[in-house]
Amino acid sequence: MTTAPRARPTLERSLASLIAAGWNGPRLFAEPHTALQERFADLPITWRDRKLGAFPNWYLGLSELYLREPLADAYLMCQDDAIFAEGSRSYLEQHLWPAAEVGVVSIYTPTHWSRGRPCGFHVERHGWASWGALAYIFSNKSLRALLAHPLAIEHRRLGPAGGLRNIDSVVGAWCQAAELPYFVHVPSLVQHIGETSTIWTSAGANGGRRASDFVPRIS
């Protein structure tokens, strides 16, 4: 989980939800001055020695997850303003993967992508206009491909806003370029709870940024 200081912190609520959903002992990738309650002090933490920004922290975090566990079947990277449906991990272990070849599975689905759809996995094709990096799951193969792709490697140097944000745009553009599916799940297994953003100062968890069909538990 990536985390950074917020005017209205959500980290503790998000961590408690992630653990209750089945992910015990998640690793934190923390920007400087992130506050953490004592009850989470034993979690593994990778502290950044200076502020990196959303995309660099996320990319380095994924790289570290892979290098720590190079044989893992799946890698979840989430953000600190999300809550998770109880039972999500068990459910996903039974239902991944939705296809033989996968780019990414987003278990957060914004409202405008879920309306009128039946339960299950669905493919979105929006490229750079993809929306929502709250909780991405990569297969071993897809993570290696993403980390090595020029769209990811060059984003920090050539991307908009100094390459500090646009995680979802990079992932969507990579899926499009690699001709790999970008999956979402209906109903959403994740809800966005951040009232403030570490990237967009005027953004809140409302409108399309919320998941209208979020379920509190799944089995």
Side-chain angles (χ1 to χ4, degrees):
M1 176 183 287
T2 59
T3 184
R6 293 177 179 273
R8 298 178 182 177
T10 55
L11 174 59
E12 283 77 19
R13 184 181 175 192
S14 186
L15 271 176
S17 173
L18 181 63
I19 293 169
W23 283 277
N24 296 317
R27 174 168 290 274
L28 289 174
F29 301 97
E31 295 271 43
H33 310 300
T34 298
L36 187 65
Q37 290 181 353
E38 183 65 27
R39 62 177 171 143
F40 297 119
D42 291 335
L43 291 179
I45 304 176
T46 298
W47 287 101
R48 305 304 183 198
D49 60 356
R50 63 182 179 88
K51 184 178 179 180
L52 295 180
F55 180 82
N57 190 23
W58 180 86
Y59 182 90
L60 286 174
L62 278 176
S63 300
E64 182 174 340
L65 288 180
Y66 173 73
L67 291 174
R68 285 180 176 275
E69 300 290 344
L71 301 180
D73 293 326
Y75 301 86
L76 167 68
M77 181 63 85
C78 55
Q79 298 179 344
D80 66 351
D81 56 348
I83 56 172
F84 299 77
E86 291 183 19
S88 290
R89 180 169 183 170
S90 176
Y91 173 83
L92 290 166
E93 286 175 345
Q94 296 175 51
H95 293 89
L96 291 179
W97 298 96
E101 295 291 329
V102 171
V104 68
V105 174
S106 175
I107 56 173
Y108 161 71
T109 307
T111 295
H112 55 289
W113 285 359
S114 63
R115 287 194 181 106
R117 283 180 155 179
C119 179
F121 295 97
H122 301 272
V123 175
E124 293 291 340
R125 298 179 178 87
H126 300 282
W128 185 262
S130 296
W131 195 344
L134 279 179
Y136 279 150
I137 301 176
F138 298 92
S139 69
N140 187 294
K141 182 179 179 180
S142 68
L143 181 59
R144 287 184 283 114
L146 170 66
L147 293 175
H149 198 278
L151 279 168
I153 294 172
E154 298 293 345
H155 181 66
R156 181 65 176 91
R157 186 169 69 95
L158 302 175
L164 297 178
R165 55 198 191 202
N166 299 109
I167 295 168
D168 42 10
S169 297
V170 171
V171 173
W174 166 71
C175 285
Q176 185 177 63
E179 298 183 339
L180 291 170
Y182 181 117
F183 282 100
V184 297
H185 187 273
V186 175
S188 182
L189 304 181
V190 170
Q191 181 63 283
H192 183 213
I193 60 170
E195 296 182 16
T196 59
S197 173
T198 61
I199 303 172
W200 312 100
T201 56
S202 62
N206 48 45
R209 287 168 58 82
R210 288 188 64 82
S212 61
D213 65 343
F214 170 70
V215 290
R217 61 183 56 85
I218 194 164
S219 59

